[in-house]
Amino acid sequence: MIQAVIFDLDGVLVDTAHYHFIAWKRLAEELGVNFTEKENEKLKGVSRMKSLEIILELGKIKLPDAEMERLATKKNEWFVEYINAMKPNEIFPGVKELITELRANGIKVALASSSKNAETVLNLLGIKQYFDAIVDGTMIVHTKPDPEIFLLAARKLNAPSRNCLVFEDAEAGVEAALAAGMRCVGVGTKEQLPKAHFIVEKTSQFTVTEIKKL
Ligand code: B16
Ligand code: MG
């Protein structure tokens, strides 16, 4: 029986994954690294610094730590600029209704995002009050695929892992959910997320009725 549902943010509740992609692409172009949607799959769900390391590896580039810090900050400034222009209606359709219905059915809801900008995004969308618990990139040591973020969210909701369901759009996020001993709905395609227990194209396609049957 599912007692708690844990949502990832970028790419599950709102299309900020696209803003991460265009900011990284802009940086990759400056570095002369070929970076497409395909390579971007590896960046989803992982930390800012890990993402930069992946891009530098693609270009076989080695840089001193201070320069890496500077580039990561630059990417983040672009990302923040993009999200500040975001409108509250960029939240995916049906998401607020799904969360409201879950809570009306006594199912707790948490947010578990690797992003250090998660709170800003929630404020911009005006949806902070939809969650019983919030865990973001400022509260964890190990990034997805490590299960830490989901285990912390479950602890905050007082729910055992086996009774938690995670919604994720990233390969690293699905692996983190599985490593936490939770069930996982992959938001995307079977090709992108082969390890997810269930697949939907859009978050709101997985209904409360289905969740209650698990
Ligand atoms: P930031 P999620 C993740 O958020 C993104 O998927 C990933 O692309 C990003 O690098 C990471 O947050 C860190 O974000 O640079 O804002 O701290 O999908 O776990 O909600
Ligand atoms: Mg995501």
Side-chain angles (χ1 to χ4, degrees):
M1 189 189 126
I2 297 299
Q3 286 175 18
V5 173
I6 306 174
F7 290 97
D8 169 53
L9 176 64
D10 297 322
V12 166
L13 301 182
V14 64
D15 200 11
T16 35
H18 178 66
Y19 297 126
H20 279 295
F21 171 62
I22 56 174
W24 282 124
K25 189 161 174 61
R26 191 168 162 186
L27 191 80
E29 271 165 14
E30 278 197 9
L31 293 165
V33 177
N34 183 37
F35 185 68
T36 65
E37 298 261 9
K38 186 170 174 276
E39 282 89 34
N40 186 54
E41 284 305 308
K42 296 274 173 235
L43 270 62
K44 288 186 181 172
V46 306
S47 70
R48 197 178 305 164
M49 208 31 98
K50 179 73 194 155
S51 302
L52 177 60
E53 284 168 14
I54 297 171
I55 291 182
L56 293 177
E57 261 169 46
L58 281 170
K60 303 195 180 6
I61 300 170
K62 282 219 179 300
L63 293 173
D65 289 358
E67 180 60 3
M68 286 178 64
E69 280 295 339
R70 193 186 69 80
L71 294 179
T73 303
K74 192 165 159 177
K75 178 268 170 180
N76 190 55
E77 284 167 1
W78 288 331
F79 176 72
V80 170
E81 198 182 295
Y82 300 148
I83 59 172
N84 273 312
M86 194 168 73
K87 303 275 171 302
N89 66 8
E90 287 185 45
I91 185 163
F92 288 138
V95 158
K96 281 188 192 171
E97 291 79 359
L98 173 62
I99 296 178
T100 305
E101 207 185 331
L102 284 167
R103 295 177 85 190
N105 278 274
I107 298 171
K108 293 252 170 63
V109 175
L111 182 97
S113 166
S114 306
S115 177
K116 292 183 173 158
N117 293 295
E119 198 168 344
T120 308
V121 173
L122 295 180
N123 285 331
L124 284 164
L125 297 172
I127 56 166
K128 224 171 148 179
Q129 72 279 14
Y130 280 77
F131 301 95
D132 299 297
I134 293 172
V135 184
D136 68 23
T138 67
M139 302 172 193
I140 50 160
V141 179
H142 306 289
T143 191
K144 299 166 189 174
D146 190 282
E148 181 183 356
I149 196 162
F150 293 127
L151 294 173
L152 181 56
R155 196 155 72 236
K156 283 189 173 216
L157 295 179
N158 215 1
S161 287
R162 64 177 182 283
N163 296 341
C164 292
L165 178 69
V166 172
F167 280 72
E168 256 296 345
D169 70 316
E171 202 182 348
V174 172
E175 281 171 18
L178 266 57
M182 298 175 184
R183 273 163 287 175
C184 186
V185 180
V187 181
T189 65
K190 189 90 198 137
E191 290 68 40
Q192 285 166 330
L193 306 167
K195 294 182 191 155
H197 296 110
F198 315 97
I199 285 283
V200 287
E201 199 189 323
K202 299 201 164 32
T203 306
S204 61
Q205 286 169 347
F206 210 80
T207 64
V208 176
T209 313
E210 282 170 280
I211 293 172
K212 284 173 77 179
K213 279 191 209 148
L214 296 177

